[in-house]
Amino acid sequence: MSGLVIKTVSPAFGRLVAIEQKLEGEYRALHTELLSHSEEIAFYKGTDWERKQIDNGYNRLHNHINFVLKKRFFMGIFDSMLVKYGATMVGYTVIGLPVFGPNSAAYLAKYGDDKAKITKDYVRNSNLLINLAKAIGRLVVSYKEVQGLAGYTSLIYEMEQVLNDLNQGKYKRVMVTSDPKKSG
């Protein structure tokens, strides 16, 4: 249940990581273009335009990183609350069912009036289920880390496709732009 809640609430961190890597690549490409064409830029007095392009690339990257960090911060708080308190609430609810649930009469008849046995059973089951709930909560939180890893693997897969195309002689030069509709 908590996995479903985290999946619906959390943003696609894998996609956000891929976007971040793309923006970093565009920012590096702007610097490479500046270095490659520095003489022409100086001759035609294009420093203001180039500075504006690099500043815009940096601002896009900076804004995206801030957006991702804010999402990670709030998701970290949500994940911690869910793991710490949500798992504990579910665990105590399950533990209390034998004593307070619909079949409590049969359970109490089994132990009679021996409060020590009921308490011992409750404490033992409580420790087991609370630790189990916390472990499951930690597994659910690891979903976020797997999403980030998925973003990197998708980038590596794209790079492998490009390298395979190069090996087969299917090279097509594409201009790197910030607008995906303009490239290619």
Side-chain angles (χ1 to χ4, degrees):
M1 183 173 109
S2 59
L4 182 64
V5 170
I6 285 180
K7 189 173 183 176
T8 56
V9 172
S10 71
F13 284 110
R15 185 174 46 84
L16 293 175
V17 166
I19 291 170
E20 180 179 339
Q21 294 298 312
K22 179 181 169 276
L23 290 173
E24 283 181 8
E26 289 174 2
Y27 185 61
R28 282 191 209 105
L30 288 171
H31 280 278
T32 302
E33 288 177 15
L34 177 68
L35 290 173
S36 298
H37 306 294
S38 59
E39 290 178 7
E40 291 90 355
I41 293 168
F43 182 73
Y44 292 117
K45 296 184 173 108
T47 55
D48 291 336
W49 189 85
E50 287 294 330
R51 180 180 295 121
K52 183 178 174 186
Q53 294 301 313
I54 290 176
D55 286 346
N56 286 340
Y58 174 78
N59 288 333
R60 283 192 305 271
L61 177 62
H62 184 263
N63 291 338
H64 180 75
I65 289 173
N66 281 341
F67 173 76
V68 171
L69 289 177
K70 285 178 188 174
K71 289 284 187 183
R72 285 187 194 272
F73 175 73
F74 288 118
M75 280 308 298
I77 292 171
F78 179 76
D79 292 343
S80 297
M81 296 293 281
L82 186 66
V83 168
K84 187 173 184 178
Y85 299 113
T88 304
M89 289 186 329
V90 169
Y92 278 126
T93 302
V94 170
I95 291 295
L97 285 177
V99 177
F100 302 112
N103 297 328
S104 62
Y107 178 78
L108 293 174
K110 177 181 170 185
Y111 286 110
D113 248 357
D114 192 0
K115 292 178 176 70
K117 286 184 180 179
I118 294 172
T119 304
K120 180 182 176 185
D121 192 34
Y122 177 79
V123 169
R124 179 179 47 90
N125 290 340
S126 174
N127 287 336
L128 291 173
L129 276 178
I130 296 302
N131 288 334
L132 176 65
K134 287 180 182 179
I136 290 171
R138 285 190 296 268
L139 284 174
V140 167
V141 170
S142 68
Y143 172 77
K144 179 175 51 176
E145 294 171 3
V146 170
Q147 278 185 323
L149 184 62
Y152 287 116
T153 56
S154 69
L155 291 172
I156 291 172
Y157 176 73
E158 288 177 20
M159 184 177 72
E160 184 182 24
Q161 284 181 325
V162 169
L163 292 175
N164 287 337
D165 287 347
L166 284 173
N167 283 339
Q168 296 173 2
K170 299 180 193 174
Y171 177 71
K172 179 182 174 187
R173 185 172 183 172
V174 177
M175 179 64 74
V176 176
T177 64
S178 61
D179 186 7
K181 295 175 187 172
K182 290 180 184 177
S183 65

